[in-house]
Amino acid sequence: MKNSKIALLMSAISLASTVLAGNPLLETYKTPHQTIPFNEIKTEHYFPAFQEAMKQHSTEVDAITNNPQAPTFENTIVALDKSGALLMKVGSPFYNLLSSETNDDLQDIAEKISPLMSEHNNSIRLNEKLFARIKAVYLQKDKLKLTPEQQMLLKDTYEGFARNGANLSEADKAVYRQLSKDLDLLSLQYGQNVLKETNNYSLLITNKALLSGLPNDFLGVLAENAKKAGKEGWLLNLKATCYIPFMKYADNRDLRRELYMANTTKCMLGGEFDNLENVRKIANTRLKIANLLGYKSYADYELVDRMAENKTKVYDLLDKLLAAYKPTAAKECAEVQSYADKNGAYFKIQPWDWCYYSEKLKDEKFSVNDEMLKPYFELEHVKMGVFGLATRLYGIKFTKNPKIPVYNPEVDAYDVTDEKGNFLAVLYTDFHPRDGKRAGAWMNDFKPQWKDGETDSRPHITVVMNFTRPTESKPALLTYDEVQTFLHEFGHSLHGMLTKCNYQSLSGTNVYRDFVELPSQIMENWASQKEFLDGFAVNYKTGEKIPTELIQKIKDTENFNTAYSCLRQLSFGYLDMAWHTIEKPFDNDVIAYEKQAMASTQILPSIPNTGISPTFSHIFSGGYAAGYYSYKWAEVLDADAFSVFEKNGIFNKKTADLFRKSILERGGTEHPMTLYKRFRGQEPTIDALLIRNGIKQ
Ligand SMILES: [Zn+2]
């Protein structure tokens, strides 16, 4: 018995040590630029590597806390920033592949790793000895003669702990932990209710005449839905892929109303999945957390780490935009109403009529669609255009490097060099949908940038898309939206590639959340610029340049009903702020409170007994609490910043240089407003956005 137990133990040890010994994740990579050797890493390498990496990280943290020397910026704050390098090395391929090349085995490991990682992170975040050292350094911050970047690192490190309750008494810490747990659970429940109530709804149509107006391929999808449910006919549901096209195209007004009402009364009519009480509980729990940590409201707590800084500035933005866009939104509504009147409507336009008549009016006014534009946007040409833009603006060059291992043969890897030919970054591009890749488009890094003495360790960046792949007869052709998406994610990549910081937790895209979309969104502005399009947008069959009228149509279409859309975004921003600026527990009528919060943005009639709060997942189960405004905030920034390029020339090297040095290279090393003003010479105003949207001349 005894012996076999030992034997078992021995074999376990030798198994573990072989996995560790031959584990490429734990060795120094011998690839170009020490890129990840995807070809050598096997799925079974991850779990033991994660375990080893967590162990090493803990040892590194222990070395900081047990350091007999008094805490200093270097031996505590910098040491902590540098700790966990192996964990990052193991985690970065793993979590990237989980999004772009996943499989069941990887998912299983993710599930096994997730609780271990939470526990590991908590053991650091709740480490009192560690916080005592951080605080000791923080309290001397004025005497330390730190650079702005060092001050930022110190502030971020200290606040990261303080905002998680590190300064609280033992009793309050317990309260904080309980509140955080409650909040997690409530948010989870809220999100699941929205999902369940959405999935529970379906409406079977057996009379095809009721579906007039719907495009054929969409009818095919509805018929397929019915078939899957074992029914005959056409099955409608409330998922965005069904709801949005239905509201746009369905001629039958009663059905549009029925679907609208079903969608806007989700989770608020009682029953198992009702969220009204969850809305109150989430808002009140967040208030309690904020109060416990010394803030008046949850918005006050959230906005400390934002470019906007406080709720006054958020409301200032929302109010200014509202005043500027409301008159135009009213005109847009009148135009849609008069179009509907001319086309036989005998009623005042209601919310369920809006998309339907808007879409028809848009077609009549602009007659431009994806199919007309796609021939000009062959992926290979667009790629040349986008890379070429970076070369013109920043002097950087992209050279395909087939020696860099990739995780799928479709992925390309590039050496990116600066104007002097020095190595700047690795860029991976992954353009097409595959099984195992999630939907959407994103940028991420495989390795962050940091400096250590003379060593500047350059980043490895990836952009991942889901563009339709080429066929034998046709190259990959992008829609205009996809061209913008490419530019957007490429903008994030530039932020990642051009970064020149010292500390990895501040480098690249590690910036405040309402600032991170500036480098990406600004790039989208080039998409409708003739000078830019002329360089690459040629018809893949005829070689003809994209016609100027088509470019104008793109611009006009972009501004169609733009004021109405702006008001809608503002209404969500106001609602979000209303829930997170409460300073007393809320126990009133959720829907009445919501209607009041959104009243000033209302252009179409407000429909009684409908609500958004019970299904506003962005703020109640996503990460956007007191942050919804940031969509508009970023738009103001990108338009304001791009106006400088418009003034000086969209390829103006001096302007690009200033943008690069002030913003793209700086990561989160200083407050974003400081960085922005260094580029712009002043704080942003909404004027450029108004001009871009045609609201102001
Ligand atoms: Zn983005």
Side-chain angles (χ1 to χ4, degrees):
M1 179 81 187
K2 204 174 166 191
N3 281 344
S4 71
K5 218 176 177 179
I6 289 171
L8 204 67
L9 197 65
M10 296 267 287
S11 75
I13 289 168
S14 69
L15 182 72
S17 57
T18 45
V19 178
L20 291 186
N23 196 326
L25 286 162
L26 303 174
E27 285 163 13
T28 306
Y29 299 155
K30 295 182 190 77
T31 44
H33 316 297
Q34 296 197 8
T35 44
I36 299 166
F38 290 107
N39 47 341
E40 290 170 28
I41 299 170
K42 306 259 180 313
T43 306
E44 62 264 30
H45 290 135
Y46 284 111
F47 192 77
F50 264 115
Q51 286 180 308
E52 176 61 21
M54 283 188 243
K55 210 169 84 190
Q56 277 196 25
H57 192 196
S58 298
T59 311
E60 288 157 12
V61 172
D62 287 346
I64 300 171
T65 51
N66 296 332
N67 190 333
Q69 286 170 353
T72 65
F73 181 76
E74 280 299 322
N75 76 18
T76 303
I77 309 298
V78 176
L80 191 61
D81 184 68
K82 285 195 198 319
S83 73
L86 182 62
L87 193 52
M88 188 158 308
K89 185 177 163 198
V90 175
S92 90
F94 181 77
Y95 290 111
N96 270 296
L97 294 188
L98 212 51
S99 294
S100 48
E101 186 87 349
T102 191
N103 56 48
D104 288 349
D105 294 341
L106 229 48
Q107 304 278 4
D108 284 349
I109 298 172
E111 260 171 53
K112 253 165 70 185
I113 288 293
S114 166
L116 298 179
M117 280 293 267
S118 310
E119 204 181 312
H120 174 73
N121 290 334
N122 277 340
S123 76
I124 296 170
R125 226 173 40 193
L126 304 173
N127 185 326
E128 293 185 5
K129 266 166 90 182
L130 179 62
F131 181 64
R133 288 183 72 95
I134 293 168
K135 193 170 177 177
V137 182
Y138 184 76
L139 291 177
Q140 322 160 36
K141 65 182 187 301
D142 298 330
K143 292 184 222 132
L144 295 176
K145 298 204 178 81
L146 300 175
T147 65
E149 182 178 4
Q150 291 170 329
Q151 287 168 25
M152 201 66 173
L153 183 68
L154 177 55
K155 176 178 164 292
D156 275 6
T157 310
Y158 173 77
E159 279 176 2
F161 282 79
R163 290 167 60 78
N164 276 301
N167 267 322
L168 298 176
S169 68
E170 272 320 299
D172 280 349
K173 265 185 195 153
V175 176
Y176 174 79
R177 276 199 289 273
Q178 188 57 47
L179 288 172
S180 302
K181 244 193 206 163
D182 294 349
L183 185 58
D184 283 350
L185 206 63
L186 284 165
S187 302
L188 193 71
Q189 213 172 52
Y190 177 100
Q192 281 172 350
N193 285 350
V194 175
L195 199 68
K196 283 184 181 148
E197 196 111 321
T198 305
N199 290 342
N200 272 355
Y201 180 90
S202 67
L203 180 64
L204 184 71
I205 308 290
T206 49
N207 176 2
K208 197 175 180 183
L210 294 175
L211 302 176
S212 73
L214 301 186
N216 268 335
D217 51 347
F218 181 50
L219 276 172
V221 174
L222 298 182
E224 189 64 27
N225 286 350
K227 214 168 146 189
K228 270 188 210 149
K231 290 176 181 155
E232 237 171 77
W234 297 267
L235 198 62
L236 302 176
N237 61 48
L238 295 179
K239 289 175 194 147
T241 46
C242 173
Y243 184 77
I244 293 170
F246 189 84
M247 298 309 276
K248 257 190 202 171
Y249 300 117
D251 293 332
N252 189 303
R253 189 170 189 234
D254 290 339
L255 274 182
R256 288 201 311 265
R257 181 179 182 280
E258 185 159 343
L259 225 61
Y260 175 86
M261 289 306 291
N263 197 44
T264 50
T265 53
K266 278 188 298 192
C267 304
M268 59 173 278
L269 299 178
E272 202 185 339
F273 307 125
D274 194 288
N275 264 338
L276 290 174
E277 191 52 31
N278 282 336
V279 166
R280 288 188 201 98
K281 281 185 182 162
I282 291 173
N284 290 340
T285 308
R286 284 179 175 156
L287 173 63
K288 278 188 201 160
I289 289 177
N291 287 164
L292 193 65
L293 294 167
Y295 298 90
K296 265 190 172 163
S297 72
Y298 194 74
D300 290 309
Y301 164 71
E302 274 291 329
L303 289 165
V304 168
D305 276 349
R306 299 285 181 272
M307 186 176 181
E309 291 181 312
N310 57 54
K311 56 193 177 198
T312 312
K313 286 189 189 165
V314 173
Y315 275 118
D316 184 50
L317 172 84
L318 299 177
D319 293 347
K320 271 187 186 149
L321 291 172
L322 178 63
Y325 283 81
K326 201 167 178 179
T328 310
K331 275 187 216 152
E332 288 169 356
C333 268
E335 199 188 357
V336 173
Q337 178 74 55
S338 107
Y339 173 82
D341 291 345
K342 263 188 252 156
N343 286 280
Y346 47 88
F347 44 74
K348 188 167 166 28
I349 294 264
Q350 299 295 317
W352 47 87
D353 302 316
W354 175 257
C355 288
Y356 178 75
Y357 287 107
S358 294
E359 188 64 21
K360 298 230 167 338
L361 175 60
K362 187 169 112 185
D363 274 357
E364 187 181 277
K365 282 179 87 168
F366 307 114
S367 64
V368 59
N369 60 43
D370 283 348
E371 294 313 311
M372 292 158 70
L373 294 169
K374 273 162 88 173
Y376 299 97
F377 296 136
E378 184 189 344
L379 176 58
E380 284 307 309
H381 292 168
V382 178
K383 202 162 77 183
M384 258 170 44
V386 173
F387 285 2
L389 177 59
T391 309
R392 270 185 98 164
L393 293 175
Y394 305 115
I396 62 176
K397 292 206 174 73
F398 302 81
T399 315
K400 212 181 265 188
N401 185 348
K403 291 201 179 107
I404 295 177
V406 289
Y407 55 89
N408 184 293
E410 281 190 337
V411 177
D412 284 323
Y414 295 84
D415 284 340
V416 186
T417 46
D418 68 13
E419 53 275 56
K420 292 186 191 118
N422 296 324
F423 174 69
L424 196 64
V426 171
L427 177 69
Y428 298 88
T429 59
D430 179 359
F431 286 118
H432 303 298
R434 282 188 305 270
D435 286 346
K437 191 199 267 194
R438 72 171 163 88
W442 61 94
M443 162 269 182
N444 206 346
D445 61 40
F446 277 113
K447 186 195 144 323
Q449 181 269 336
W450 44 263
K451 271 188 217 160
D452 195 355
E454 289 302 297
T455 311
D456 180 0
S457 177
R458 300 305 307 169
H460 302 168
I461 304 293
T462 177
V463 276
V464 187
M465 312 276 162
N466 273 290
F467 298 152
T468 313
R469 69 180 62 244
T471 63
E472 267 177 29
S473 56
K474 232 191 209 173
L477 302 175
L478 309 191
T479 64
Y480 179 70
D481 280 353
E482 288 174 332
V483 174
Q484 281 191 318
T485 303
F486 189 174
L487 282 162
H488 180 105
E489 299 308 332
F490 189 74
H492 283 309
S493 305
L494 286 172
H495 204 186
M497 293 188 292
L498 294 170
T499 187
K500 268 189 181 174
C501 304
N502 287 300
Y503 309 112
Q504 59 177 348
S505 60
L506 297 178
S507 78
T509 55
N510 286 313
V511 300
Y512 289 169
R513 199 192 297 160
D514 52 0
F515 188 59
V516 75
E517 297 300 334
L518 167 63
S520 53
Q521 287 183 190
I522 192 172
M523 295 301 286
E524 294 179 34
N525 287 281
W526 271 270
S528 57
Q529 298 291 320
K530 186 173 162 22
E531 274 177 279
F532 171 60
L533 292 172
D534 276 348
F536 70 91
V538 296
N539 189 304
Y540 78 102
K541 276 188 192 153
T542 63
E544 165 220 16
K545 266 189 191 171
I546 187 166
T548 310
E549 315 85 74
L550 215 47
I551 301 175
Q552 190 52 47
K553 275 186 180 177
I554 294 174
K555 287 189 183 172
D556 293 340
T557 319
E558 281 187 315
N559 279 339
F560 177 71
N561 282 352
T562 183
Y564 174 84
S565 312
C566 174
L567 253 60
R568 206 170 147 69
Q569 286 293 81
L570 293 178
S571 72
F572 296 141
Y574 279 113
L575 181 59
D576 170 31
M577 290 305 283
W579 283 120
H580 296 112
T581 49
I582 54 167
E583 294 181 6
K584 280 190 306 232
F586 181 88
D587 56 5
N588 282 322
D589 183 333
V590 168
I591 301 301
Y593 185 67
E594 166 182 318
K595 299 266 182 211
Q596 188 199 338
M598 298 170 83
S600 61
T601 60
Q602 202 73 33
I603 291 277
L604 294 175
S606 168
I607 309 300
N609 305 317
T610 62
I612 289 162
S613 302
T615 53
F616 199 176
S617 298
H618 258 79
I619 65 164
F620 288 112
S621 66
Y624 275 82
Y628 200 89
Y629 76 91
S630 54
Y631 287 107
K632 278 288 156 197
W633 184 272
E635 245 183 285
V636 167
L637 284 181
D638 91 67
D640 186 65
F642 188 68
S643 72
V644 186
F645 282 96
E646 276 184 309
K647 187 165 148 254
N648 301 340
I650 62 162
F651 299 118
N652 185 276
K653 196 86 181 66
K654 243 176 130 180
T655 311
D657 226 44
L658 192 60
F659 190 71
R660 173 184 186 162
K661 295 218 161 71
S662 316
I663 290 164
L664 296 177
E665 287 183 354
R666 304 304 323 140
T669 54
E670 284 178 83
H671 192 279
M673 191 59 90
T674 311
L675 298 179
Y676 190 78
K677 277 165 44 184
R678 208 167 284 153
F679 165 67
R680 188 66 177 95
Q682 62 184 53
E683 291 201 2
T685 70
I686 64 168
D687 293 351
L689 182 61
L690 297 182
I691 293 169
R692 185 168 83 188
N693 286 162
I695 304 291
K696 193 177 153 176
Q697 293 301 309

